[in-house]
Amino acid sequence: MIYLDNAATSWPKPEAVYEAVDHAMRYSGNASRSGHRLALEADRLLYQTRKLLASFFNVQDPAQVVFTKNCTEALNVALKGLVKVGDHVITTSMEHNSVLRPLSRLQRSGVEVTVLQASKEGYVTPKQVAEAIRGNTKLIAVTHASNVVGTIMPIADIGKVAHDHGVLFLVDAAQTAGVLPIDMEQCFIDVLCVPGHKSLMGPSGTGALLVREGIVVEPLIEGGTGSLSESIEQPSFMPDRLESGTLNVVGIAGLKAGLEFIMGEGLSNIRQHELKLTNMLLEGLSELDNVTVYGPKDVERMVGVVSAVVKGVDPARVSALLDQEYGIATRPGLHCAPLAHKSIGTFETGTVRFSVGFFNTLEDIEETIRAMKHIVKEYG
């Protein structure tokens, strides 16, 4: 298989990830719940992974790193734990439903929400953000890069706007963590939400919420933490405040191995490989008759996510043909981002999304372009 669905989840994983998961399944217990060697092994694993994540994204205190089961959970914890009735939130039309749906629910409860309209290329400017700020604006929530067309948002500039106005800044790094450098201090990010299973190379069921020290997030879930068991109140200190119940120690072991792999390869090398593949894909698709490519079409301003439509052929059919006839995995439809498709003009049809990853090759892209050429010739 030629796997071009890395925006959904990365595949394959580094071999070290598979080995770490297997080892943790066999030799770790329930973290923070006992004093025997298997539980202590789990404790060490969690702490080491927190330290890696804190260092990777420049958080001073590893205790401010909260493990979640995915980026969606991290976003829900953050949005519902920071915003209250009467507050105002600014977001964009390029957001994933993991942001839009929680905000819609909060809006029904009395939170004010402004959705900034992106350009057809998927951009929102810092000026748009600044002009939308009100006296009761509590939070700006922005995706770092679109999961539909790959557009990279200027998060450092938007973060400066938020900082200058005393507004909290949340970044959804679902498509960028593990590909682009993210420094929470330099970008004035107060809350960062990341998936473990995409470009961080970890297994499914892993993610993290990173919170700047001093910011209080109300817990979404309460329960056992292994700490302050004498009290029926949730602990107030991090990360226990936001981590209830048994953690996915096995998945976190894989996430740690994924992080170590990325650090070993180097973010700049990963990015350069992605740029080369994305540029080749953009050029190849753009040269095909009856194929429309959406988004910036400038690899320096996007991650490795490319959306296209074959004139007269449903994207679901194109994706099915790529899979069944050529062994190429893509994703058709609206990609859980309806407003993004409205912004680029593809809401009625959706698109076929090609998303590259570190383990893709130039030969993969060449074969994909050949397959698309055949499909256009036969069906377009």
Side-chain angles (χ1 to χ4, degrees):
M1 174 182 282
I2 295 174
Y3 185 82
L4 293 176
D5 195 22
N6 290 279
T9 197
S10 60
W11 185 89
K13 308 295 182 182
E15 191 60 33
V17 172
Y18 299 122
E19 293 170 357
V21 167
D22 181 74
H23 184 272
M25 181 69 79
R26 298 174 189 275
Y27 301 111
S28 65
N30 197 333
S32 303
R33 300 304 195 276
S34 303
H36 54 74
R37 66 189 69 176
L38 293 183
L40 293 176
E41 172 64 21
D43 285 336
R44 280 192 292 271
L45 174 64
L46 295 189
Y47 180 69
Q48 290 166 359
T49 311
R50 282 191 220 278
K51 280 188 67 178
L52 278 177
L53 285 165
S55 172
F56 198 72
F57 296 111
N58 194 15
V59 174
Q60 298 304 311
D61 184 0
Q64 296 299 117
V65 177
V66 176
F67 292 115
T68 60
K69 68 175 181 288
N70 45 46
C71 193
T72 298
E73 183 179 41
L75 287 163
N76 270 265
V77 172
L79 292 168
K80 295 171 182 176
L82 288 171
V83 180
K84 64 182 185 301
V85 174
D87 287 339
H88 175 234
V89 179
I90 299 169
T91 191
T92 83
S93 65
M94 299 308 292
E95 305 306 310
H96 191 276
N97 274 341
S98 297
V99 169
L100 296 177
R101 287 179 174 175
L103 286 181
S104 178
R105 185 181 185 90
L106 288 167
Q107 194 170 24
R108 293 196 301 272
S109 302
V111 172
E112 298 173 27
V113 177
T114 296
V115 179
L116 301 177
Q117 180 58 52
S119 68
K120 289 206 72 171
E121 289 73 37
Y123 292 111
V124 166
T125 68
K127 182 181 178 183
Q128 283 177 273
V129 176
E131 290 175 349
I133 293 175
R134 307 174 186 169
N136 63 334
T137 302
K138 177 69 175 290
L139 178 71
I140 297 166
V142 175
T143 185
H144 192 182
S146 166
N147 73 311
V148 175
V149 289
T151 308
I152 299 171
M153 296 291 186
I155 61 166
D157 295 333
I158 294 174
K160 181 68 163 54
V161 169
H163 177 75
D164 289 348
H165 287 80
V167 176
L168 296 177
F169 184 40
L170 179 155
V171 171
D172 172 3
Q175 298 301 327
T176 55
V179 174
L180 299 180
I182 302 172
D183 187 312
M184 288 185 63
E185 289 296 322
Q186 288 186 6
C187 295
F188 302 98
I189 298 171
D190 296 298
V191 181
L192 182 70
C193 301
V194 302
H197 65 100
K198 297 188 181 185
S199 293
L200 291 180
M201 301 290 186
S204 298
T206 59
L209 169 65
L210 296 92
V211 182
R212 184 190 292 272
E213 198 166 359
I215 294 172
V216 177
V217 181
E218 293 300 324
L220 182 66
I221 299 172
E222 293 150 319
T225 58
S227 58
L228 301 185
S229 294
E230 71 279 5
S231 174
I232 62 170
E233 299 297 326
Q234 188 76 3
S236 60
F237 53 85
M238 294 281 276
D240 298 41
R241 179 181 182 83
L242 302 179
E243 280 184 356
S244 291
T246 295
L247 294 174
N248 181 7
V249 174
V250 173
I252 292 166
L255 174 57
K256 176 175 177 286
L259 278 161
E260 290 169 341
F261 175 84
I262 292 164
M263 290 173 169
E265 293 292 333
L267 267 184
S268 61
N269 293 329
I270 292 171
R271 174 63 172 159
Q272 287 307 309
H273 180 65
E274 180 187 84
L275 286 172
K276 188 182 297 184
L277 296 177
T278 306
N279 191 57
M280 186 177 180
L281 183 60
L282 280 172
E283 288 183 352
L285 290 174
S286 297
E287 289 172 359
L288 299 179
D289 292 334
N290 295 324
V291 173
T292 302
V293 178
Y294 294 87
K297 305 184 190 70
D298 176 359
V299 292
E300 297 292 342
R301 303 175 73 187
M302 58 189 291
V303 293
V305 177
V306 178
S307 269
V309 168
V310 178
K311 185 178 180 180
V313 189
D314 189 281
R317 190 177 188 198
V318 174
S319 187
L321 287 167
L322 286 169
D323 179 29
Q324 296 162 11
E325 302 294 330
Y326 303 96
I328 300 170
T330 60
R331 183 179 172 190
L334 297 178
H335 312 100
C336 301
L339 299 188
H341 279 276
K342 287 182 178 180
S343 296
I344 66 172
T346 55
F347 182 71
E348 298 302 323
T349 61
T351 60
V352 180
R353 184 182 70 185
F354 304 82
S355 49
V356 304
F358 181 74
F359 291 107
N360 286 122
T361 64
L362 294 175
E363 290 74 23
D364 288 346
I365 306 304
E366 289 173 355
E367 183 59 33
T368 299
I369 299 303
R370 281 195 292 269
M372 285 293 288
K373 189 174 182 178
H374 293 159
I375 289 172
V376 170
K377 185 177 180 181
E378 287 288 322
Y379 304 96

